[in-house]
Amino acid sequence: MQTVLRYLLMLRHIPKQPQKIDVNTLRERLAEQGVDVSVRTIQRNLIELSEVFPLTTDERNKPFGWSLMSDAAIAPLVPSIMLERTTQQNGNDSAKDGALETVQLELRCDAELKSHFESFPLNETQRLKTNGEGILLTVEVAHTDKLLAWLLSYGARIEVLEPEALRQQVTEQVAIMRRYYEVD
């Protein structure tokens, strides 16, 4: 089971062409998520994954870079799959009719997330703008419990700026989590 989870985490960090990621950077990203494996293991895993997924390696320069082929027709294996733009049902957006509320989400993100969001946009409404040391991401998404969980999964790498109600929800969840880790 650990191998499958490692494969999924690896796929999550591999960008679409023309961007690429080298094995050492991939190892660092896995280590940040608590997965400690050798460079050689990652190399073997990438070769195995390339037999099933449309992965390619750029061997023109060292370190070699891995990426998903630009025309890959697979959904990105990331939580952003849950954030598809909700379409209005019969022009009525009330929750009682089954339609979800959509919100205009505005986030301040760490700069290193830029290539991820460029490779795997949340949906067609996503806009990225460089903002000082980070990036500003705006996108229209369905306001669901999955949205809150997705935002929290990025920890301190994302700050919710808008909508204010969602920012407050994140603040409340962080306060609850903090209580679990306070030392008396």
Side-chain angles (χ1 to χ4, degrees):
M1 186 63 147
Q2 291 296 324
T3 304
V4 172
L5 293 175
R6 183 174 65 247
Y7 282 3
L8 290 173
L9 287 172
M10 288 171 66
L11 286 169
R12 180 179 181 183
H13 292 292
I14 299 173
K16 274 194 168 184
Q17 287 177 325
Q19 298 167 339
K20 56 189 175 182
I21 188 168
D22 64 84
V23 174
N24 287 319
T25 303
L26 190 53
R27 183 175 187 271
E28 290 171 11
R29 292 199 181 155
L30 291 173
E32 289 171 2
Q33 295 180 303
V35 178
D36 186 28
V37 292
S38 70
V39 167
R40 185 64 188 128
T41 298
I42 293 172
Q43 290 169 332
R44 285 186 192 113
N45 291 165
L46 286 167
I47 291 167
E48 292 167 356
L49 285 169
S50 69
E51 294 172 5
V52 179
F53 292 94
L55 295 179
T56 185
T57 182
D58 181 355
E59 298 177 351
R60 292 177 291 182
N61 300 312
K62 289 190 178 183
F64 297 160
W66 287 84
S67 55
L68 284 166
M69 292 182 192
S70 59
D71 60 348
I74 64 169
L77 296 172
V78 293
S80 59
I81 292 171
M82 299 179 240
L83 300 178
E84 294 177 15
R85 185 176 182 200
T86 304
T87 57
Q88 303 291 326
Q89 295 182 353
N90 302 324
N92 188 339
D93 63 350
S94 71
K96 69 180 178 184
D97 292 331
L100 296 172
E101 173 192 5
T102 59
V103 294
Q104 186 66 29
L105 183 62
E106 186 174 321
L107 306 173
R108 183 178 300 128
C109 308
D110 286 355
E112 62 261 10
L113 292 175
K114 184 176 183 185
S115 64
H116 172 73
F117 288 124
E118 286 174 336
S119 296
F120 302 111
L122 301 175
N123 64 42
E124 72 279 359
T125 69
Q126 176 181 296
R127 300 292 176 261
L128 295 174
K129 180 179 175 185
T130 303
N131 182 9
E133 295 179 12
I135 58 170
L136 184 65
L137 181 149
T138 57
V139 64
E140 185 177 334
V141 294
H143 188 190
T144 66
D145 291 339
K146 291 178 182 179
L147 173 61
L148 180 60
W150 178 80
L151 290 166
L152 292 170
S153 76
Y154 280 93
R157 298 175 74 187
I158 285 183
E159 176 188 2
V160 176
L161 302 175
E162 294 289 335
E164 183 59 37
L166 184 57
R167 181 180 172 91
Q168 186 59 38
Q169 280 183 293
V170 171
T171 301
E172 290 168 5
Q173 288 297 310
V174 170
I176 291 168
M177 291 187 311
R178 182 177 177 172
R179 282 186 252 152
Y180 291 128
Y181 297 97
E182 286 181 347
V183 178
D184 293 329

